[in-house]
Amino acid sequence: MSQPDASTAPQGPVLVTHSEGVCTVTLNRPDAMNSLDVATKEALLGALQGAAADESVRCVVLTGTGRAFCVGQDLNEHVALLAEDPQQLWTTVARHYNPVVELLATMDKPVIAALNGVAAGAGAAFAFAADLRYVAASAGFNLAFTGIALSCDSGTSWTLPRLVGAAKAKELLYFPRTIDAQECLALGLATEVVPDEELAGKVAEVAHTLAAGPTLAYGAVRRAVNFSAGHPLTESLDYEDQQMTRTGTSEDHRAAVAAFLAKEKPRFSGR
């Protein structure tokens, strides 16, 4: 994974790059701290839809340019729409935020959030929907919703309690503040805290390791874990059975068994 420098970043609110099975989706509004205006939300949704549908993509990385990962809704655009067309503000949750989060949480391949800077509001929620969150030492999270008298969105009510527990989730939402990287690690919001200058290299290493792995198995695991969070044991066992059947008939499973018998390292195709 390579992160464009804020001063030389190519044009466009969202950049998409591919490298050996890894698709890196980069929010690219550094001057606006990667806040989400309509154009950015639509570009992000399109990029994630493309990555989810592309069988050559076996791991997705979401990151940002500049000093922020994503600070959520673009409040400058928000104020203008509040005066001109307030209905558009509330339809954007269903049109943009919800499908973005659902893709991040359920696409059939692993997703990594690489937090190069602060993640606030919907930006934090996007990171929570990923499987792994690598956080730069200078970065952090802020659950900013109630600070502007709004409820939480973008799946925060679903992901955050599962990461930190319901009581802590409500505390963080009631009293918004920037949670620094080390506290994020202690709370379970961060998979690992990485020195700023090492973030890109660390995430690239992890992403390429996952991209070389059994993609269908990773997708099945993430779906099973999400399913079991909202279903009783019997239904979760049945869902596991379905995913075991699906992965048990995959090319990767046959390759892994053959490699085990031959005492060789398996090579996975992602199929």
Side-chain angles (χ1 to χ4, degrees):
M1 184 197 76
S2 61
Q3 181 185 335
D5 181 83
S7 62
T8 60
Q11 297 301 306
V14 175
L15 308 177
V16 179
T17 58
H18 295 264
S19 172
E20 300 176 341
V22 177
C23 175
T24 300
V25 178
T26 305
L27 295 164
N28 186 46
R29 299 185 72 214
D31 293 341
M33 298 186 73
N34 298 320
S35 59
L36 301 163
D37 60 3
V38 171
T40 303
K41 287 180 279 192
E42 290 181 347
L44 175 60
L45 179 56
L48 293 175
Q49 289 170 331
D54 188 344
E55 291 186 0
S56 71
V57 172
R58 296 171 61 186
C59 180
V60 173
V61 174
L62 179 64
T63 191
T65 50
R67 59 194 180 94
F69 173 78
C70 173
V71 296
Q73 176 68 33
D74 184 321
L75 291 184
N76 288 324
E77 182 184 75
H78 187 92
V79 168
L81 289 174
L82 200 59
E84 299 168 10
D85 184 15
Q87 184 61 28
Q88 190 174 155
L89 293 175
W90 320 128
T91 58
T92 194
V93 172
R95 287 175 54 214
H96 303 119
Y97 290 127
N98 289 354
V100 163
V101 168
E102 192 157 9
L103 280 165
L104 289 170
T106 66
M107 71 172 71
D108 215 15
K109 56 199 75 178
V111 176
I112 300 171
L115 275 82
N116 54 297
V118 66
F126 292 171
F128 296 157
D131 299 310
L132 303 168
R133 285 162 296 282
Y134 290 90
V135 179
S138 64
F141 288 103
N142 191 312
L143 283 304
F145 302 102
T146 62
I148 54 171
L150 289 175
S151 178
C152 56
D153 64 20
S154 304
T156 309
S157 66
W158 196 91
T159 54
L160 187 59
R162 285 164 172 78
L163 290 168
V164 301
K168 190 66 178 179
K170 284 186 280 189
E171 176 198 326
L172 296 175
L173 287 163
Y174 284 175
F175 306 107
R177 60 185 175 84
T178 298
I179 310 159
D180 67 31
Q182 289 302 323
E183 186 178 359
C184 288
L185 185 63
L187 288 173
L189 296 175
T191 301
E192 185 176 334
V193 174
V194 183
D196 289 25
E197 66 276 10
E198 297 177 15
L199 180 67
K202 175 65 180 180
V203 172
E205 177 187 355
V206 174
H208 283 102
T209 298
L210 289 171
T215 310
L216 285 179
Y218 295 148
V221 165
R222 74 194 310 251
R223 291 182 177 202
V225 169
N226 286 346
F227 184 92
S228 68
H231 294 81
L233 175 61
T234 300
E235 293 178 23
S236 298
L237 289 170
D238 181 62
Y239 191 82
E240 284 185 346
D241 183 27
Q242 296 172 36
Q243 297 304 312
M244 185 61 75
T245 300
R246 176 172 171 249
T247 55
T249 57
S250 68
E251 292 180 21
D252 278 348
H253 176 63
R254 289 193 292 272
V257 171
F260 175 80
L261 294 175
K263 295 182 171 56
E264 298 173 348
K265 184 177 180 179
R267 294 175 62 86
F268 297 115
S269 66
R271 296 186 291 271

